[in-house]
Amino acid sequence: MNVADSRDQALSLLTAALNHSDLAVKLSSLKQAKDILSSLDSSSAAELFPYLSDLQRSPHSLVRGFLVEIIEDIGLKSIEHSTVLVPVLVTFLRDVDSNVVKQSIVCGINFFCSVLEELTLQFQQHGKVDQWLQELWMWMVRFKEGVFSIALQPGPVGIKLLALKFLEMHVLLFTSDNVNSEKYIEATRGSRRTFNISWLSGGHPILDPVAVTSDANRTLYILLDMLQSASSLPGSVTITVVNCVLSSSLLRS
């Protein structure tokens, strides 16, 4: 099957996933579409990203959750085309289904780190930052704000725990260069190369090292303030906050 035929078949499957009345057919169509999209080159797959984005309107939480899986699998491989997909993750932070919210936070964390790395490496290698990447970073900032809001407001414990881990990661990412912090973040994210704030030492048109370090400090103070009201928090949340503060503090020492 040539690229055009594969693209047409994927489009037909995505349309079925959006419009068919049977949930089993929707999910089966999505799985097949995902397999086809994974086989296409990034440019060809990206032509169908707007149709993927339309699936966020699905009334079925299983479809929305599967959409997040596809965004993570396909979007990270075609990150230069993902400005259509990342807004879906920001929208899903307010989803009525807690599992969709949790999936979106986990997926968004991976995007946040990947975009951050690309943002610094592109400037180091080419002396500029492409417009698509600037736009993608703006969405990552919105994602960060959404997750911070979840961490600070009442809500389901499972979602809050993931949001708090994002706050911890945010502190560690933008903490002054420290070998231990790099090892810690690497261990939490697997074998992928990870961002290090020392990459900003020569300056950057989007990321001001002073500003991001200050933001990390404010985030740590937020976690410390939460400890002041630990008696009113669920036990699992308190434990997570304590662990976040300890790891952040130790890596700054």
Side-chain angles (χ1 to χ4, degrees):
M1 187 182 298
N2 60 39
V3 172
D5 289 341
S6 295
R7 195 168 53 237
D8 289 344
Q9 183 178 359
L11 176 56
S12 177
L13 289 164
L14 291 174
T15 301
L18 182 62
N19 297 322
H20 203 283
S21 59
D22 188 286
L23 178 58
V25 173
K26 288 176 177 289
L27 295 175
S28 176
S29 298
L30 263 184
K31 184 180 185 304
Q32 293 177 69
K34 177 183 178 183
D35 292 339
I36 294 174
L37 288 170
S38 296
S39 70
L40 294 173
D41 63 86
S42 60
S43 296
S44 298
E47 293 178 15
L48 299 177
F49 283 2
Y51 300 97
L52 268 178
S53 178
D54 285 344
L55 288 167
Q56 68 183 293
R57 307 196 313 267
S58 173
H60 300 283
S61 60
L62 289 176
V63 171
R64 299 196 303 276
F66 205 127
L67 173 59
V68 176
E69 291 183 29
I70 296 176
I71 289 174
E72 181 164 19
D73 182 57
I74 307 297
L76 284 173
K77 295 176 184 176
S78 309
I79 197 165
E80 70 274 19
H81 302 294
S82 292
T83 50
V84 177
L85 300 178
V86 169
V88 176
L89 301 178
V90 178
T91 298
F92 279 173
L93 292 177
R94 302 183 300 275
D95 198 87
V96 295
D97 187 280
S98 60
N99 287 325
V100 174
V101 178
K102 287 189 283 188
Q103 285 179 271
S104 299
I105 293 175
V106 173
C107 180
I109 287 173
N110 290 329
F111 264 97
F112 188 92
C113 293
S114 294
V115 173
L116 182 60
E117 292 166 7
E118 183 67 26
L119 200 62
T120 52
L121 291 173
Q122 188 178 99
F123 183 68
Q124 285 179 348
Q125 295 169 2
H126 305 291
K128 64 176 184 177
V129 176
D130 290 339
Q131 184 61 40
W132 66 263
L133 189 53
Q134 295 183 45
E135 182 179 348
L136 202 51
W137 180 246
M138 289 175 62
W139 280 109
M140 288 293 93
V141 171
R142 295 183 190 182
F143 173 82
K144 182 201 80 170
E145 292 170 349
V147 176
F148 270 50
S149 179
I150 290 172
L152 298 177
Q153 294 177 0
V157 170
I159 296 175
K160 186 178 287 291
L161 295 178
L162 283 174
L164 288 170
K165 294 303 291 183
F166 177 81
L167 266 64
E168 176 189 17
M169 185 198 72
H170 187 264
V171 174
L172 298 176
L173 281 171
F174 297 117
T175 292
S176 297
D177 188 25
N178 184 304
V179 173
N180 290 326
S181 65
E182 183 173 348
K183 288 181 178 178
Y184 177 87
I185 300 171
E186 191 73 26
T188 60
R189 295 179 52 222
S191 60
R192 294 181 65 246
R193 176 171 49 183
T194 184
F195 168 83
N196 191 298
I197 197 171
S198 64
W199 297 356
L200 303 180
S201 59
H204 194 279
I206 307 298
L207 300 168
D208 178 357
V210 175
V212 296
T213 299
S214 177
D215 195 24
N217 289 333
R218 285 194 296 272
T219 304
L220 181 56
Y221 290 140
I222 288 172
L223 292 169
L224 289 169
D225 285 343
M226 292 184 73
L227 284 182
Q228 301 298 318
S229 57
S231 60
S232 64
L233 298 174
S236 57
V237 173
T238 300
I239 292 170
T240 299
V241 173
V242 169
N243 289 336
C244 291
V245 169
L246 284 176
S247 63
S248 300
S249 300
L250 286 173
L251 295 174
R252 284 164 168 255
S253 61

